[in-house]
Amino acid sequence: MSETDRKGAFGVTAPGVDPNRWKALVFIALAQLMVVLDATIVNIALPSAQTDLGISDGNRQWVVTAYALAFGGLLLFGGRIADKWGRKRAFVIGLAGFALASALGGAATTGPMMFGARALQGVFGALLAPAALSLLAVMFTDAKERAKAFGIYGAIAGGGGAVGLIVGGFLTEYLNWRWTFFVNIPFAVVAALGAIFVIREPQGGRNRSPLDIPGVVLSSLGLIALVYGFTRAESDGWGDGVTVAMFIASAVLLLAFVVVEARVKAPLLPLRVVTDRNRGGIYLSLGLAIIGMFGLFLFLTYYLQVVKGYTPVKTGFAFLPMVAGMITGSTQIGARLMTRVPARFLMGPGFLVAALGMLILTQLKIDSSYGTQLLPAMLLLGLGMGTAFMPAMSLATQGVQPRDAGVASAMVNTSQQVGGAIGTALLNTIAASATTSYVKDHIAGAAAKPQQELVKLQGMVHGYSSAIWFAVGILAVASLIAFTFVNAGRPGSTPVTSGEGEGIEDELPVPVVAH
């Protein structure tokens, strides 16, 4: 057995390579796909569900917001529970709970029942997502195998949202909106059974320290306030009293959280996880990239359906080139080069390629051609994001101590969740403001109603292109951060001293992040 096989990714001797690790990847990837799909699949079904359940326009946002608040607010707690209970156990419980919540959502008869089901999905998703990522981190220790495994995982994490649009469109158009919930149940059952019989979590590495209750309360409330602040800003404006209060409360709570974590003996989030130069750079650049991506999904969905008149199913298929690009970038470019070049030379250029795709979309017009403008833009976006996501997902969990794997994984999901909330609110606000300004300046010259409708559509597209310009800038900043902060060498090439572990004191040439 080679040195790489004997040694684990965390600098400890592994009892042996798990022969079922690739089978386990199938079930872990299936669970991740379910969680990512759920983020967009429900959006397609929302208009139909709103009508059936009699949900008012003012309350419909809670179908999305209830999930986002629970998921984003409890991720760190979920990651810590996975470290304490064991990742396999947390993974199976998360799947079972998510399936139950999905069944409740599909059977909902009232708005509050739907909101509760979505919140429950978020709670179990916050347990499931970090458990899935940390399982990969501890099961795949060989550098080349790890690159392939995280390439697949990164492709699903990046492209699953677009696949959700396709699946959601089919289910809503040919069955009914309830199936956008019920479809999660077979996913969860198959993944849970596979986990029970196939996944074998490596021994050791659990964090059996007492739970940091003050940290749980402060982080959960702080993240919930932050996500809700951005969600409310989208609908009520940045100057709204409650919006401002949420941001202030979030800042105070999260600052208090940092102070507590620096002082308690067994912190929920050991600051060493985020102060590491590489991981900190990854969390920040990944969050910024998601800001641009989430806003773009929304704009393109509305552009294709409202402006171009596409059906939900056709809209979903229109996103396929982006999915193909992400899969190619992640599994063929990122995974193949991850063991040969430093991560920053994949992440930095990847974000720039995605920014180039965004730049093409800044030129959107009402009569823009899908084949000559949207298609190449989506391909570039997919290739760039897939290439960048793969090393980011892998390095974010490399080099951490086994007892911190869950919270390190949770931070990846937290940066994505918060980035999504910021992106949707910020870019929507920019687009709405630009649209209002355009219509106000041009509506006077449109006398007939058809001309006025044309001006409104032109204003909508103008708003999208204005917001996408900001997304281009955000991706450029993400690229700069990746080039500047992420200085890890090729996986497996940089030996480091653990130094911080409890009983883990060795220097090994294993795949870790350089400090």
Side-chain angles (χ1 to χ4, degrees), residues 106-132:
T109 55
T110 65
M113 185 176 175
M114 168 69 79
F115 306 150
R118 288 289 284 162
L120 200 59
Q121 278 186 316
V123 170
F124 285 102
L127 180 62
L128 173 60

Side-chain angles (χ1 to χ4, degrees), residues 72 111 187 357 383 498:
F187 275 88
L383 281 170
S498 172

Side-chain angles (χ1 to χ4, degrees), residues 134-171:
S134 57
L135 273 172
L136 280 191
V138 299
M139 292 181 74
F140 287 89
T141 57
D142 176 77
K144 290 185 178 180
E145 288 193 350
R146 184 182 175 92
K148 292 177 183 177
F150 275 88
I152 294 168
Y153 187 90
I156 290 172
V163 175
L165 296 172
I166 301 172
V167 177
F170 262 109
L171 294 175

Side-chain angles (χ1 to χ4, degrees), residues 153-452:
Y153 187 90
I156 290 172
V163 175
L165 296 172
I166 301 172
V167 177
F170 262 109
L171 294 175
T172 304
E173 198 164 319
Y174 297 114
L175 293 173
N176 65 54
W177 65 267
R178 296 183 184 277
W179 283 96
T180 60
F181 286 90
F182 291 145
V183 73
N184 290 329
I185 298 173
F187 275 88
V189 170
V190 172
L193 289 174
I196 291 169
F197 293 109
V198 173
I199 292 178
R200 188 189 71 183
E201 184 180 352
Q203 295 297 315
R206 286 197 194 178
N207 189 335
R208 301 184 186 276
S209 303
L211 193 60
D212 172 20
I213 300 299
V216 170
V217 173
L218 289 171
S219 67
S220 298
L221 292 179
L223 288 170
I224 286 171
L226 182 63
V227 173
Y228 184 58
F230 280 108
T231 302
R232 189 176 176 91
E234 181 188 353
S235 57
D236 294 75
W238 296 91
D240 174 69
V242 176
T243 300
V244 174
M246 286 295 106
F247 286 137
I248 294 173
S250 173
V252 171
L253 288 165
L254 292 178
L255 181 60
F257 172 68
V258 172
V259 172
V260 167
E261 298 308 275
R263 296 185 177 185
V264 296
K265 185 177 180 180
L268 173 71
L269 175 64
L271 296 184
R272 61 179 173 267
V273 172
V274 292
T275 54
D276 174 86
R277 173 174 178 164
N278 289 282
R279 283 191 292 276
I282 285 167
Y283 296 146
L284 187 56
S285 62
L286 198 59
L288 286 170
I290 293 295
I291 289 175
M293 283 295 291
F294 262 65
L296 183 71
F297 271 131
L298 193 64
F299 296 152
L300 284 182
T301 300
Y302 275 99
Y303 174 79
L304 291 170
Q305 291 193 38
V306 177
V307 178
K308 305 297 282 186
Y310 284 21
T311 64
V313 172
K314 189 176 180 181
T315 299
F317 275 106
F319 279 98
L320 275 181
M322 187 185 297
V323 177
M326 283 183 174
I327 293 173
T328 302
S330 187
T331 62
Q332 300 304 310
I333 301 175
R336 289 178 183 273
L337 296 181
M338 181 69 184
T339 56
R340 301 177 185 178
V341 299
R344 66 179 180 273
F345 294 136
L346 293 173
M347 292 178 63
F351 289 137
L352 287 179
V353 170
L356 180 60
M358 289 272 196
L359 193 62
I360 295 173
L361 293 176
T362 60
Q363 306 305 309
L364 271 182
K365 299 289 185 291
I366 286 181
D367 58 350
S368 291
S369 165
Y370 178 85
T372 59
Q373 189 167 2
L374 272 73
L375 178 62
M378 286 188 178
L379 284 171
L380 288 172
L381 273 165
L383 281 170
M385 285 297 191
T387 301
F389 274 19
M390 187 268 141
M393 291 287 183
S394 179
L395 287 182
T397 53
Q398 262 185 329
V400 297
Q401 299 169 30
R403 60 198 175 110
D404 295 336
V407 289
S409 301
M411 278 301 299
V412 176
N413 291 283
T414 300
S415 66
Q416 291 177 305
Q417 187 66 24
V418 173
I422 295 172
T424 303
L426 178 63
L427 296 181
N428 256 357
T429 303
I430 294 168
S433 177
T435 296
T436 301
S437 178
Y438 182 94
V439 172
K440 184 179 179 181
D441 291 343
H442 294 81
I443 199 71
K449 188 172 182 180
Q451 291 177 313
Q452 292 176 353

